[in-house]
Amino acid sequence: MLSERMQKAINDQINAELYSSYMYAAMSMYFQSVDMSGAAGWMNAQAKEELVHAEKFMNYVNERGGRVTLQAIEKPPSEWKSVLDTFEAALKHEQKVSSMINSLVTLARDEKDHMTDNFLQWYVAEQVEEEASAAEVVRKLKLIGDSGGGMFMIDNELGRRGLVPETSSGE
Ligand code: OFO
């Protein structure tokens, strides 16, 4: 059985994952509006992954006999200054989510809740990937600078992500 405190913390994390999905959907729509269809596809794939993250938490709470309570999702921004600005915001967001996951692990350890600690390790590993993939795009965008040709190429590259079917283990 989850403690009240852990249940509340996971419910808050479910809200954060749903916000992530909403924010990436907003980024996808922004990229559509500036004709970056590849980047829009990348963000759309990311938005879907975040729903999987939220759902995994929901299933876990239910498996442990807890109660999921959904909360209001904050309104995400709808405009960014540039493609780089958008990916920098995504990276900053993922760093924040990583620190939230770390806090959950700390709580699980404080409570000697080994089941939750073990469950959370999937998210710990996932956050390494989440930060690395956003950071890689940020680095490439900085290299490209104002080059129109470079932007065209990176948009094509980002678009390939949306074409790769998601696997159950590849969230
Ligand atoms: Fe759920 O990993 Fe991003 O936010």
Side-chain angles (χ1 to χ4, degrees):
M1 187 79 185
L2 291 169
S3 71
E4 278 295 315
R5 201 164 157 221
M6 181 57 79
Q7 177 170 292
K8 173 164 187 332
I10 296 180
N11 272 312
D12 289 347
Q13 189 66 36
I14 290 168
N15 184 262
E17 302 290 346
L18 292 173
Y19 173 80
S20 297
S21 180
Y22 215 28
M23 182 196 75
Y24 285 120
M27 288 176 168
S28 180
M29 293 304 104
Y30 164 70
F31 283 137
Q32 289 282 4
S33 77
V34 294
D35 293 325
M36 293 281 295
S37 57
W42 193 99
M43 288 296 177
N44 187 43
Q46 188 64 31
K48 287 181 181 156
E49 266 194 33
E50 298 297 350
L51 291 179
V52 174
H53 295 178
E55 201 178 341
K56 270 174 101 81
F57 271 117
M58 291 185 209
N59 290 340
Y60 179 72
V61 171
N62 286 325
E63 272 170 8
R64 297 290 311 278
R67 180 76 168 90
V68 174
T69 45
L70 296 177
Q71 305 160 27
I73 303 167
E74 193 191 322
K75 179 179 186 284
S78 52
E79 293 290 335
W80 287 267
K81 290 199 284 284
S82 64
V83 180
L84 176 60
D85 181 46
T86 316
F87 275 93
E88 280 179 333
L91 175 58
K92 201 166 155 214
H93 179 73
E94 287 308 329
Q95 288 163 341
K96 183 177 153 208
V97 171
S98 297
S99 101
M100 294 174 79
I101 296 289
N102 286 345
S103 299
L104 280 176
V105 173
T106 302
L107 177 60
R109 291 183 183 182
D110 286 350
E111 293 192 347
K112 298 188 173 37
D113 180 350
H114 301 295
M115 289 175 184
T116 301
D117 185 359
N118 181 58
F119 168 75
L120 288 169
Q121 294 312 307
W122 183 88
Y123 288 89
V124 172
E126 177 69 3
Q127 281 311 119
V128 174
E129 225 181 86
E130 294 279 84
E131 286 192 33
S133 56
E136 185 189 345
V137 182
V138 166
R139 278 195 308 275
K140 286 182 177 171
L141 286 167
K142 283 183 176 166
L143 276 176
I144 287 168
D146 290 334
S147 155
M151 200 57 85
F152 181 76
M153 278 173 65
I154 201 168
D155 190 48
N156 272 338
E157 186 185 319
L158 291 169
R160 285 202 285 276
R161 177 186 183 181
L163 302 176
V164 179
E166 300 288 344
T167 62
S168 56
S169 59
E171 298 100 21

